[in-house]
Amino acid sequence: MSNNLNILIIGDVLGKAGRRALRSHLPDLLDEHHIDFCVANGENLASGFGTTLKLADELFRVGVNVITNGNHCWDQRNFLKEIDEDDRLIRPANFSKYAPGHGWTIQATRNGFKVAVINLIGQAFMGTWDCPFEAADRVLEEIPDDVDAILVDLHAEATSEKMGMGWYLDGRVSMVYGTHTHVPTCDETIHSGGTAFQSDIGMTGSYNSVIGMKKEGALRRMVQRLPQRLEAVERGATVCATKIIVDTDTKQAQYIERICVRPRE
Ligand SMILES: [Fe+2]
Ligand SMILES: [Fe+2]
């Protein structure tokens, strides 16, 4: 059995546009890049605001293995119940002890590899959460040694906090990556300890927008500073993703590549 594991990471998938783009491009991407395991952030699946089991299922059906979450986790109130119905759905591990769901999961690939995915949320400009660094330590103690790769989605605003986590976990996990800002960063790298890192994967959604939402409404809020409902752009999404190759003997990353598929429509 090969000891290389090809993993595709997708950031925040925004609404109908993001879901539609994954439906049309993900099966080909998985094939073309020989992907064994795929993870996506689902906090914006429901028109930008939260996740439902049904929408998560759309992603599972086209090849996503695990869905992480973020600050929009409970925007769809039913998700408080739904999250416990499928162990491929996780939420940040440093939510309060009262939160339903789990902060990490281990799922198997078709060829029998085990991949652990940990979800964390940042503290800088993000609200009040438990310490993500302490949560990472706690979860890593619980994860059995026989997993073949460990991925960490740090859902956070500040690049500094995300870079800090990248170094904090260097040598202990296969990749630390950021989600939440909806803009991809070109700082993908592999640290000296073998941990791949990227500050933000970027959204899979329409970039003819303000972070996925219609620009007219977003601008009204910014310019007039009056209440305005934000609406997700429904077409024309770009798929932003990052591929890594992990050596399962060491769990270290050997390769990292950003992937971008622009809309045809
Ligand atoms: Fe988001
Ligand atoms: Fe977010």
Side-chain angles (χ1 to χ4, degrees):
M1 187 159 83
S2 148
N3 54 0
N4 278 350
L5 191 50
N6 293 358
I7 298 175
L8 191 74
I9 316 235
I10 298 167
D12 305 50
V13 180
L14 208 135
K16 196 179 278 180
R19 298 189 326 261
R20 186 202 297 253
L22 285 189
R23 277 201 310 271
S24 41
H25 298 296
L26 190 58
D28 287 346
L29 276 177
L30 298 180
D31 213 39
E32 198 181 310
H33 291 271
H34 311 288
I35 299 297
D36 302 298
F37 193 87
C38 175
V39 57
N41 185 292
E43 73 150 5
N44 306 116
L45 283 178
S47 306
F49 300 98
T51 315
T52 68
L53 204 54
K54 189 163 167 273
L55 298 179
D57 226 50
E58 278 188 33
L59 266 52
F60 291 142
R61 277 205 299 271
V62 289
V64 171
N65 297 92
V66 168
I67 297 180
T68 55
N69 228 292
N71 52 301
H72 287 292
C73 192
W74 312 126
D75 285 1
Q76 304 294 320
R77 293 299 135 116
N78 270 347
F79 199 62
L80 284 159
K81 290 195 200 101
E82 289 179 337
I83 193 167
D84 282 318
E85 291 178 32
D86 193 323
D87 68 355
R88 296 171 295 176
L89 296 168
I90 56 172
R91 47 77 178 161
N94 55 321
F95 273 3
S96 88
K97 64 179 181 184
Y98 303 101
H102 290 95
W104 59 278
T105 187
I106 296 172
Q107 299 293 328
T109 67
R110 254 194 318 233
N111 41 3
F113 289 113
K114 288 187 204 165
V115 181
V117 184
I118 306 171
N119 194 185
L120 300 168
I121 191 165
Q123 289 180 310
F125 319 113
M126 289 296 288
T128 317
W129 314 105
D130 295 344
C131 174
F133 296 90
E134 288 176 16
D137 286 339
R138 197 180 61 238
V139 170
L140 284 172
E141 269 183 29
E142 290 174 50
I143 289 180
D145 279 343
D146 70 345
V147 296
D148 298 293
I150 305 175
L151 310 174
V152 177
D153 173 352
L154 173 56
H155 192 81
E157 190 75 51
T159 45
S160 54
E161 191 175 17
K162 296 191 245 193
M163 288 180 86
M165 185 66 78
W167 288 114
Y168 187 64
L169 297 181
D170 184 26
R172 295 199 276 161
V173 304
S174 312
M175 181 164 191
V176 174
Y177 63 93
T179 56
H180 174 73
T181 70
H182 295 197
V183 178
T185 57
C186 59
D187 59 344
E188 75 277 11
T189 186
I190 298 173
H191 286 335
S192 46
T195 296
F197 176 78
Q198 186 181 347
S199 294
D200 208 297
I201 304 291
M203 100 185 137
T204 288
S206 168
Y207 283 74
N208 184 10
S209 73
V210 175
I211 63 167
M213 310 310 274
K214 288 183 184 164
K215 46 193 187 280
E216 297 76 13
L219 277 176
R220 243 193 314 271
R221 275 164 67 134
M222 291 176 187
V223 176
Q224 299 176 2
R225 277 145 287 155
L226 291 170
Q228 173 69 40
R229 245 188 83 211
L230 291 177
E231 284 174 55
V233 177
E234 294 191 348
R235 298 184 76 80
T238 296
V239 176
C240 283
T242 295
K243 174 187 177 178
I244 60 167
I245 301 177
V246 174
D247 175 348
T248 58
D249 292 336
T250 60
K251 302 190 204 12
Q252 293 186 352
Q254 296 182 317
Y255 175 85
I256 184 164
E257 175 191 357
R258 268 186 295 125
I259 293 168
C260 174
V261 185
R262 297 191 192 284
R264 291 193 205 110
E265 38 194 344

